Amino acid sequence: MATNDLLQKLDGGADFGVTTSNRRQTEVFIAKEAVAVGDWVAFDLAAAQDGDVTLGIFKADSNSTPIRPAFGVVVASLDTTLAGAADLTAGARIEVCIRGVCNAKVGDNGGAGNAIGTQLQTTTTAGVVDAVVVGGSSVQFPACGTLAETIPGTGVGITIKRVVVHKSF
């Protein structure tokens, strides 16, 4: 079920704040595998029924068959385990940011780092994106987001950083 926050307040009144113009949009999907908060996810492109293609989600991964290009980021689970923890296993209802600002897993561009504004694309590491590859012989994927925090070039590896998810469907 889609949720949408289209409020924008420009008059600067007392109730004006950072959440007033938040345009993050989330939708609920069914996990087809275990996921984690911050994972980039992709549709179940191999589903037999048309409606199931955009209902189930896997971690985004350019090394899978079929290739799974990223469209959003896991922000929460709507289900809980018997112990009361968030249920992020296969079959759970997962809230996914499909547009706007959220925290997500991003690579460090092979140790070189990434600057604010870097365009991001699906990688061969499931659930992780990194800088868009320009040219070369590697497979090109559409940009799925923009980095909104700097990743230093100190070999930090995969980190959770603030991104802007591009609306892609």
Side-chain angles (χ1 to χ4, degrees):
M1 179 162 244
T3 58
N4 210 355
D5 185 358
L6 296 177
L7 297 177
Q8 183 176 24
K9 186 169 181 63
L10 301 175
D11 66 4
D15 58 347
F16 184 74
V18 294
T19 59
T20 314
S21 292
N22 182 3
R23 294 200 174 112
R24 178 162 81 173
Q25 183 178 0
T26 63
E27 287 198 29
V28 177
F29 299 92
I30 305 298
K32 295 289 192 141
E33 67 179 343
V35 295
V37 171
D39 277 345
W40 287 83
V41 292
F43 291 124
D44 182 5
L45 300 175
Q49 300 294 319
D50 291 350
D52 289 340
V53 171
T54 56
L55 176 63
I57 56 169
F58 286 95
K59 292 177 189 174
D61 187 354
S62 67
N63 203 33
S64 64
T65 303
I67 291 174
R68 298 182 178 128
F71 77 86
V73 176
V74 174
V75 293
S77 174
L78 298 182
D79 297 333
T80 56
T81 64
L82 293 176
D87 184 0
L88 296 162
T89 59
R93 296 174 301 153
I94 306 298
E95 183 179 14
V96 175
C97 174
I98 62 169
R99 182 192 72 199
V101 179
C102 65
N103 292 323
K105 292 180 181 176
V106 182
D108 68 353
N109 197 14
N114 284 317
I116 291 174
T118 298
Q119 296 298 294
L120 304 169
Q121 71 178 4
T122 305
T123 68
T124 57
T125 304
V128 178
V129 298
D130 209 333
V132 169
V133 176
V134 179
S137 61
S138 63
V139 176
Q140 303 292 307
F141 292 97
C144 55
T146 303
L147 187 60
E149 282 186 74
T150 299
I151 298 176
T154 56
V156 295
I158 298 167
T159 59
I160 300 287
K161 293 294 183 183
R162 188 176 66 236
V163 300
V164 178
V165 177
H166 298 179
K167 177 87 173 188
S168 60
F169 73 99

